[in-house]
Every structure is written in structure tokens, then in C-alpha cells.
Amino acid sequence: MTLRAWAELLRVSALFTVPGDALAGAATAGVRPNRGTALAVGASLCLYEAGMALNDWADRDEDAVERPHRPIPSGRITPNAALAAAGGLTATGLLLASRAGRPALALSTALAATVWAYDLRLKHTPAGPAAMGAARALDVLLGATATRSAAGPVVAAADAIKAAGSPGRSAHRGRTAKAVEPLASGSAGSVPAGSTSGAARVRGTTSLPVAARAARPADRLTAQPARRGVLARLLAWADGSVVGRTDHSARPSHESVARTATRAGGAAAAGPGSTARQGATATPSAVPRAALVPAALLGAHTVAVTTVSRREVYGGSVGAPLAALVVTGVLGGMVGRPRSPGVGALVGGGLAAAYVVTAGRPFLHAALNPSPQLTQRAVGGGIRAMIPFQAALAARGGAPGIGLAVMGLVPLARKLAKKVSVT
């Protein structure tokens, strides 16, 4: 068992497509990469390589016929060694994720389960591409969640208080300021100590002052849970504190601002001894909602590439690469569309164009001539295109610097791919 044999088994040239998942997730979380991001990257790399080893172990009989040069059928690595490597890498990945917090561990567990289910059961079923897409999406969410968790509750409180100063609609600006001002100072003012709003009763929260109810007329709709339970939940989701958004349109609701300010004021009044109790209530949500869209987009690209890969040995499919070409164009347009003018928009547009070219050209060639060789090139191009796609997602999330850093992995991936195939 040589080092090169293990490099081929683990497809190390494809490793450079993994860190961008966590970094793109971190960008959408609205927090700079931190210790949690590093743990998420480490966990992702381990779980990715575990999937590679397990894939060759599960396909060892098939590879003996179709790919006899692979490490296991050629006898360079034993099946037991490959299976042990898959198990060890999975355990290591889960251990790293656990250091980033329980939410990250839960996501990494779901990711590991998806990887093992794909390799052992789903790969040759219609659900195979969807499973691979889910794995990539979970990896992005893992990066966002681990990064946000490592930032701590201070970030969530800062976001809410900052949003209180954002200009809102003129019809509510004055009333909102009057509602929040006494709360931010930690005083009850004229608000009765035991009063709660309708929204507080619907959500099951406690001690939400009546003054916050004047901030939003929508609270009147949630004041009758017996008749409008579903509507109340929808409003709670839409108007709830959206953790991880970077644009002003996604600022937290006035109600969440009031609640955060109340907690901060209460902690200051109670003294240092209450810091732990107040910090527990300001913890950000487990998965930043802003990361859901980037995760879904990267998952869609993965589904397209996986669908093409099903015919890479024998070729002959025109529909799969053609569909992947259409998906590439749609995704490139979505990611490259600027959310706001500026340098970030220019960087994001350029990265999106790089993604379309990297993936679209080999997909087009495979659609015109679906030979095994061109189909394999299309799969390789689709895998390599994940790097500029992740970079474009990071730029779209408000972190063009992270996007450019991710693009720095392209030359390294290209150099190593000349020695070890990504497929």
C-alpha cells in the first residue's frame, strides 16, 4: 500500500472542492471565519474522504470489471483497509464537528449518514443524485452553523441592536423608537410588569412588554391564537430574527429587537452575576436561515454533476449533460446577479462567469458528443467548477475577499489533478 495508491483511493485532487463549502457558509452567516469555520473545514474534509474510501469499497466488484486499475481491484489496497479508513475518517470528522457545538455535530451526523447511505444503498437508485446534492447542502450549512456558534451570543445581540437603528418604514419609525427606547434603558416605564403581547402568548415566550406591540400592527393578527394559529406561526417565521443576513432588508423584527434590548438592559441592571443567564437567551438560532439558499444552489449543481457521472464509463447520454448545461446557466445567472452595487458585485459577477465557463464548456462538449472520454471530462469539469461556484456564493454573501481566497485553490487543484484524477 503506497502513498500514491491512497491518493488515488481518496481522490486527493478533489479535496480542494471541499473547504469552499464551509467558507461559503461562513460568508452567509455574516461572521468572519473563526475557530468554528476551521473545525467545519476539518470535519468536511474527513467526511468527504471517508465517502471516497467507502465508495471504492462498495464498488470493488464493479470496479474489477469497469476500472481494474483502481487501487482495490488492482490489489494495491485491501478492501478491509479501505473500510477501516472510511470508519476512522468518519469518526474523526464527527469528533471535530463536536468541538464546534451540538448543532454542528447534529449536521455532521446527518452528513455522515447521507454519505454512507449513498455509497452503500442509494448510489445506483434514482435517489442517488439527490443524496449527493443533500450532502453538499449539509456541508454548507455545517460551515455556517459552526461559524455562527463559535461567534457566540454577543453577535446575535449586536445584530439586533444595530438593526434597531436601521431606517424603517416612516409609518412605524416613531412608534418603534418610543417602544424600544424605555426597554433599551432597562426601565419598565409605564408598562405594567406582568403584561405580555399576543405574539408572546402565541410563541410561548415570556415577559414581552405591551409597548413592543405598538411597533407592528401585524401583532394584532397573532393576538388570537385560537382562530389564527397557522397565520401566527407564519408571521413568527417571516418576522422573526433572521440570523446571518447582511443586507438591511433582512433586519430583525422590532419585537426581537425589543426582546434583545430588554435582556441586555436586565443583565446590566442585575450585575455581572446574571451574564450567564442572559447569554443563554441571546444565543443565535442553530442554522442561519441566510445559508439555506446558497446550500440549495450548491446542492442543485451537485445533483446535475452526479446525474452526468452515471454514464461516465460507457457514455451515450445526451440528455444528462444537456440538462446540466441548462442548470449551470441558471445557477450562474442567479449567483452572478448583484444584490447591491459595488466592488462585491463586480467580484461576484466575475466569479459566476468563471463558474459557468468551467462547468458549461465540458457539459456542452459531452452533449454534442456523449463519448465516455468527453463524459468523464464533463464530470471532472463539474467537480472543479464547484470552487468558483463556492467563491461566487461567498461574494454574494457579502464577503468578496473570502471568494477570492477560495479561488486561490483553483491552481492547486489543477496542478494535482494532473497527477491524480478527480474521478
Side-chain angles (χ1 to χ4, degrees), residues 184-249:
S185 64
S187 62
S190 60
V191 181
S195 299
T196 59
S197 71
R201 291 193 296 273
V202 172
R203 297 184 187 183
T205 57
T206 59
S207 68
L208 178 62
V210 174
R213 182 169 53 189
R216 293 189 301 113
D219 280 346
R220 300 173 184 173
L221 298 176
T222 63
Q224 305 178 39
R227 291 188 297 169
R228 297 187 176 92
V230 175
L231 179 59
R233 288 175 175 81
L234 290 175
L235 288 173
W237 172 263
D239 287 341
S241 178
V242 182
V243 180
R245 298 285 183 88
T246 56
D247 56 286
H248 293 294
S249 62

Coordinates of all heavy atoms in Angstrom, one line a residue, residues 184-249:
A184 N -34.6 49.6 26.1 CA -33.1 49.5 25.9 C -32.5 50.1 27.2 O -31.3 49.7 27.5 CB -32.7 50.3 24.7
S185 N -33.1 51.0 27.9 CA -32.5 51.6 29.1 C -32.7 50.7 30.3 O -32.2 51.0 31.3 CB -33.1 52.9 29.3 OG -34.5 52.8 29.6
G186 N -33.5 49.6 30.1 CA -33.6 48.7 31.2 C -34.8 49.1 32.1 O -35.0 48.4 33.2
S187 N -35.5 50.1 31.8 CA -36.6 50.5 32.7 C -37.9 50.1 32.1 O -38.1 49.9 30.9 CB -36.6 52.1 32.8 OG -36.8 52.7 31.6
A188 N -38.9 49.9 33.0 CA -40.2 49.4 32.6 C -41.1 50.6 32.1 O -42.0 50.4 31.4 CB -40.9 48.7 33.7
G189 N -40.8 51.8 32.6 CA -41.6 52.9 32.2 C -43.0 52.8 32.7 O -43.3 52.4 33.8
S190 N -44.0 53.0 31.8 CA -45.4 52.9 32.1 C -45.9 51.6 31.8 O -47.1 51.4 31.9 CB -46.2 54.0 31.3 OG -46.0 53.8 29.9
V191 N -45.1 50.6 31.4 CA -45.5 49.3 31.0 C -45.7 48.5 32.3 O -44.8 48.4 33.1 CB -44.5 48.6 30.1 CG1 -45.0 47.2 29.7 CG2 -44.3 49.4 28.9
P192 N -46.9 47.9 32.5 CA -47.1 47.0 33.7 C -46.1 45.9 33.6 O -45.8 45.3 32.6 CB -48.5 46.5 33.5 CG -49.2 47.6 32.6 CD -48.1 48.0 31.7
A193 N -45.6 45.5 34.8 CA -44.6 44.5 34.9 C -45.0 43.1 34.4 O -44.3 42.4 33.9 CB -44.1 44.3 36.4
G194 N -46.3 42.8 34.5 CA -46.7 41.4 34.1 C -47.4 41.4 32.8 O -47.9 40.3 32.4
S195 N -47.3 42.5 32.0 CA -48.0 42.5 30.7 C -47.3 41.7 29.7 O -46.0 41.8 29.6 CB -48.2 43.9 30.2 OG -49.0 44.7 31.2
T196 N -48.0 41.1 28.7 CA -47.4 40.4 27.6 C -48.2 40.7 26.4 O -49.4 40.9 26.5 CB -47.3 38.9 27.8 OG1 -48.6 38.4 28.0 CG2 -46.5 38.5 29.0
S197 N -47.6 40.6 25.2 CA -48.3 40.9 24.0 C -48.9 39.6 23.5 O -48.6 38.5 23.9 CB -47.4 41.4 22.9 OG -46.5 40.5 22.5
G198 N -49.8 39.7 22.5 CA -50.4 38.5 21.9 C -49.4 37.6 21.3 O -49.4 36.4 21.4
A199 N -48.4 38.2 20.6 CA -47.3 37.4 20.0 C -46.6 36.5 21.0 O -46.2 35.4 20.7 CB -46.4 38.3 19.2
A200 N -46.4 37.1 22.2 CA -45.7 36.4 23.2 C -46.5 35.2 23.6 O -45.9 34.1 23.9 CB -45.4 37.3 24.4
R201 N -47.8 35.3 23.7 CA -48.6 34.2 24.1 C -48.6 33.1 23.1 O -48.6 31.9 23.3 CB -50.0 34.6 24.4 CG -50.1 35.5 25.7 CD -51.6 35.7 26.1 NE -52.3 36.4 25.1 CZ -52.4 37.7 25.1 NH1 -51.8 38.5 26.0 NH2 -53.2 38.3 24.2
V202 N -48.6 33.5 21.8 CA -48.7 32.5 20.7 C -47.4 31.8 20.6 O -47.3 30.5 20.5 CB -48.9 33.2 19.3 CG1 -48.8 32.3 18.2 CG2 -50.3 33.8 19.3
R203 N -46.2 32.5 20.8 CA -44.9 31.8 20.6 C -44.5 31.1 21.9 O -43.6 30.3 21.9 CB -43.9 32.8 20.3 CG -44.1 33.5 19.0 CD -42.9 34.4 18.7 NE -43.2 35.2 17.5 CZ -42.3 36.1 17.0 NH1 -41.2 36.2 17.6 NH2 -42.6 36.8 15.9
G204 N -45.2 31.3 23.0 CA -44.8 30.7 24.2 C -43.7 31.4 24.9 O -43.1 30.8 25.8
T205 N -43.3 32.6 24.5 CA -42.3 33.3 25.1 C -42.8 34.0 26.4 O -44.0 34.0 26.6 CB -41.7 34.4 24.2 OG1 -42.8 35.3 23.8 CG2 -41.1 33.8 23.0
T206 N -41.9 34.6 27.2 CA -42.4 35.2 28.4 C -41.9 36.6 28.5 O -41.0 37.1 27.9 CB -41.7 34.4 29.6 OG1 -40.3 34.5 29.5 CG2 -42.2 33.0 29.6
S207 N -42.7 37.4 29.2 CA -42.4 38.8 29.6 C -42.1 39.7 28.4 O -41.1 40.4 28.4 CB -41.3 38.8 30.6 OG -40.1 38.4 30.0
L208 N -42.9 39.6 27.4 CA -42.7 40.6 26.3 C -43.6 41.8 26.6 O -44.8 41.7 26.6 CB -43.1 40.0 24.9 CG -43.0 40.9 23.8 CD1 -41.6 41.4 23.6 CD2 -43.6 40.3 22.5
P209 N -43.0 43.0 26.8 CA -43.8 44.2 27.2 C -44.8 44.6 26.1 O -44.6 44.4 25.0 CB -42.8 45.3 27.4 CG -41.5 44.5 27.6 CD -41.6 43.3 26.8
V210 N -45.9 45.2 26.6 CA -47.0 45.6 25.7 C -46.5 46.7 24.8 O -47.0 46.9 23.7 CB -48.2 46.2 26.6 CG1 -49.3 46.8 25.7 CG2 -48.8 45.0 27.4
A211 N -45.5 47.5 25.2 CA -45.0 48.6 24.4 C -44.5 48.1 23.1 O -44.6 48.8 22.1 CB -43.9 49.3 25.1
A212 N -44.0 46.9 23.0 CA -43.5 46.3 21.8 C -44.6 46.0 20.8 O -44.3 46.0 19.6 CB -42.7 45.0 22.0
R213 N -45.8 45.8 21.3 CA -46.9 45.5 20.4 C -47.3 46.7 19.5 O -47.7 46.5 18.4 CB -48.1 45.1 21.3 CG -49.3 44.7 20.4 CD -50.4 44.1 21.3 NE -50.8 44.9 22.4 CZ -51.5 44.6 23.4 NH1 -52.0 43.3 23.4 NH2 -51.8 45.4 24.4
A214 N -47.0 47.9 19.9 CA -47.3 49.1 19.1 C -46.4 49.2 17.9 O -46.7 49.9 17.0 CB -47.2 50.3 19.9
A215 N -45.3 48.5 18.0 CA -44.3 48.6 16.9 C -44.8 48.0 15.6 O -44.5 48.4 14.5 CB -43.0 47.9 17.3
R216 N -45.7 46.9 15.7 CA -46.1 46.2 14.5 C -47.6 46.0 14.5 O -48.0 45.2 15.4 CB -45.3 44.9 14.3 CG -43.9 45.1 14.0 CD -43.2 43.7 13.7 NE -43.4 42.8 14.7 CZ -44.1 41.6 14.6 NH1 -44.8 41.4 13.5 NH2 -44.2 40.8 15.6
P217 N -48.3 46.5 13.6 CA -49.8 46.2 13.5 C -50.0 44.7 13.3 O -51.1 44.2 13.6 CB -50.3 47.0 12.3 CG -49.3 48.1 12.2 CD -48.0 47.5 12.6
A218 N -49.0 44.0 12.7 CA -49.2 42.5 12.5 C -49.4 41.8 13.7 O -50.0 40.7 13.7 CB -48.0 42.0 11.7
D219 N -49.0 42.3 14.9 CA -49.2 41.6 16.2 C -50.7 41.4 16.5 O -51.1 40.5 17.2 CB -48.6 42.4 17.3 CG -47.1 42.1 17.4 OD1 -46.6 41.2 16.7 OD2 -46.4 42.9 18.0
R220 N -51.5 42.3 15.9 CA -53.0 42.1 16.2 C -53.5 40.8 15.6 O -54.4 40.3 16.0 CB -53.7 43.3 15.5 CG -53.3 44.7 16.1 CD -54.0 45.8 15.4 NE -53.5 47.1 15.9 CZ -53.8 48.2 15.3 NH1 -54.6 48.3 14.3 NH2 -53.3 49.4 15.8
L221 N -52.8 40.4 14.5 CA -53.3 39.1 13.9 C -52.9 37.9 14.7 O -53.5 36.9 14.6 CB -52.6 39.0 12.5 CG -53.1 40.1 11.5 CD1 -52.3 39.9 10.2 CD2 -54.6 40.1 11.2
T222 N -51.8 38.1 15.4 CA -51.3 36.9 16.2 C -51.9 37.0 17.6 O -51.5 36.1 18.4 CB -49.8 37.0 16.3 OG1 -49.4 38.1 17.0 CG2 -49.2 36.9 14.9
A223 N -52.7 37.9 17.9 CA -53.2 38.0 19.3 C -54.4 37.1 19.6 O -54.8 37.0 20.7 CB -53.7 39.5 19.5
Q224 N -54.8 36.3 18.6 CA -55.9 35.4 18.7 C -55.5 34.0 18.2 O -55.8 33.6 17.1 CB -57.2 35.8 17.9 CG -57.6 37.3 18.3 CD -58.8 37.7 17.5 OE1 -59.7 36.9 17.2 NE2 -58.8 39.0 17.1
P225 N -54.7 33.3 19.0 CA -54.2 32.0 18.6 C -55.2 31.0 18.3 O -55.0 30.1 17.5 CB -53.3 31.6 19.8 CG -53.8 32.3 20.9 CD -54.3 33.6 20.4
A226 N -56.4 31.1 18.9 CA -57.4 30.0 18.7 C -57.9 30.1 17.3 O -58.2 29.1 16.7 CB -58.5 30.3 19.7
R227 N -58.0 31.3 16.7 CA -58.5 31.4 15.3 C -57.4 31.5 14.3 O -57.7 31.3 13.1 CB -59.4 32.7 15.3 CG -60.7 32.5 16.1 CD -61.6 33.7 15.8 NE -61.0 34.9 16.2 CZ -61.5 36.1 15.9 NH1 -62.6 36.2 15.2 NH2 -60.9 37.2 16.3
R228 N -56.2 32.0 14.6 CA -55.2 32.2 13.6 C -53.9 31.6 14.0 O -52.8 32.2 13.9 CB -55.0 33.7 13.4 CG -56.3 34.4 12.9 CD -55.9 35.9 12.6 NE -57.1 36.6 12.0 CZ -58.0 37.3 12.7 NH1 -57.9 37.3 14.0 NH2 -58.9 37.9 12.1
G229 N -53.9 30.3 14.4 CA -52.7 29.7 14.9 C -51.7 29.5 13.7 O -50.5 29.8 13.9
V230 N -52.2 29.1 12.5 CA -51.3 28.9 11.4 C -50.7 30.2 11.0 O -49.5 30.4 10.7 CB -52.0 28.2 10.3 CG1 -51.1 28.1 9.0 CG2 -52.5 26.8 10.7
L231 N -51.5 31.2 10.9 CA -51.1 32.6 10.5 C -50.1 33.1 11.4 O -49.1 33.7 11.1 CB -52.3 33.5 10.3 CG -51.9 35.0 9.9 CD1 -51.2 35.0 8.6 CD2 -53.2 35.8 9.9
A232 N -50.3 32.9 12.7 CA -49.4 33.3 13.7 C -48.0 32.7 13.5 O -47.0 33.4 13.7 CB -49.9 33.0 15.1
R233 N -48.0 31.5 13.2 CA -46.7 30.8 13.0 C -46.0 31.3 11.8 O -44.7 31.4 11.8 CB -46.9 29.3 13.0 CG -47.2 28.7 14.3 CD -47.5 27.2 14.2 NE -47.8 26.5 15.5 CZ -48.9 26.6 16.1 NH1 -49.9 27.2 15.6 NH2 -49.0 26.0 17.3
L234 N -46.7 31.6 10.7 CA -46.1 32.1 9.5 C -45.5 33.5 9.8 O -44.4 33.8 9.3 CB -47.2 32.2 8.4 CG -47.6 30.8 7.8 CD1 -48.7 31.0 6.8 CD2 -46.5 30.1 7.2
L235 N -46.3 34.3 10.5 CA -45.8 35.6 10.8 C -44.6 35.5 11.7 O -43.6 36.3 11.6 CB -46.9 36.5 11.5 CG -48.0 37.0 10.6 CD1 -49.1 37.6 11.4 CD2 -47.5 37.9 9.5
A236 N -44.6 34.6 12.6 CA -43.4 34.4 13.5 C -42.2 34.1 12.7 O -41.1 34.5 13.0 CB -43.7 33.4 14.6
W237 N -42.4 33.2 11.7 CA -41.2 32.8 10.9 C -40.8 34.0 10.0 O -39.6 34.2 9.9 CB -41.7 31.6 10.0 CG -40.6 31.3 9.0 CD1 -40.6 31.6 7.6 CD2 -39.5 30.5 9.2 NE1 -39.5 31.1 7.0 CE2 -38.8 30.4 7.9 CE3 -39.0 29.8 10.3 CZ2 -37.6 29.7 7.8 CZ3 -37.8 29.1 10.1 CH2 -37.1 29.0 8.9
A238 N -41.7 34.7 9.4 CA -41.3 35.8 8.5 C -40.7 37.0 9.2 O -39.8 37.6 8.7 CB -42.6 36.2 7.6
D239 N -41.3 37.3 10.4 CA -40.8 38.5 11.1 C -39.8 38.2 12.2 O -39.4 39.1 12.8 CB -42.0 39.2 11.7 CG -42.9 39.9 10.7 OD1 -42.4 40.1 9.6 OD2 -44.1 40.2 11.0
G240 N -39.5 36.9 12.3 CA -38.5 36.5 13.4 C -37.2 37.0 13.1 O -36.8 37.5 12.0
S241 N -36.3 37.0 14.0 CA -34.9 37.4 13.9 C -34.2 36.6 12.9 O -34.0 35.4 13.1 CB -34.2 37.4 15.2 OG -32.9 37.8 15.0
V242 N -33.8 37.1 11.7 CA -33.1 36.4 10.7 C -31.6 36.5 10.9 O -31.0 37.5 10.7 CB -33.5 36.9 9.3 CG1 -32.8 36.1 8.2 CG2 -35.0 36.9 9.1
V243 N -31.0 35.4 11.5 CA -29.6 35.4 11.8 C -28.8 35.2 10.6 O -29.1 34.2 9.8 CB -29.3 34.3 12.9 CG1 -27.9 34.3 13.2 CG2 -30.2 34.6 14.1
G244 N -27.8 36.0 10.4 CA -26.9 35.7 9.3 C -27.0 36.6 8.1 O -26.2 36.6 7.2
R245 N -28.1 37.4 8.0 CA -28.3 38.2 6.8 C -27.4 39.4 6.9 O -27.2 40.0 8.0 CB -29.8 38.7 6.7 CG -30.8 37.6 6.6 CD -30.7 37.0 5.2 NE -31.7 36.0 5.0 CZ -33.0 36.2 4.6 NH1 -33.4 37.4 4.4 NH2 -33.8 35.2 4.5
T246 N -26.9 39.9 5.8 CA -26.0 41.0 5.8 C -26.7 42.2 5.1 O -26.2 43.3 5.2 CB -24.8 40.7 5.0 OG1 -25.1 40.3 3.7 CG2 -24.0 39.6 5.7
D247 N -27.8 42.1 4.5 CA -28.5 43.2 3.8 C -29.5 43.8 4.8 O -30.0 43.2 5.7 CB -29.2 42.8 2.5 CG -30.2 41.7 2.8 OD1 -29.7 40.6 3.0 OD2 -31.4 42.0 2.8
H248 N -29.8 45.1 4.6 CA -30.7 45.8 5.5 C -32.1 45.3 5.4 O -32.8 45.5 6.4 CB -30.6 47.3 5.2 CG -29.3 47.9 5.5 ND1 -28.8 48.0 6.8 CD2 -28.3 48.5 4.7 CE1 -27.6 48.6 6.8 NE2 -27.3 48.9 5.5
S249 N -32.5 44.8 4.3 CA -33.9 44.3 4.2 C -34.2 43.1 5.1 O -35.3 42.8 5.3 CB -34.2 44.0 2.7 OG -33.3 42.9 2.3

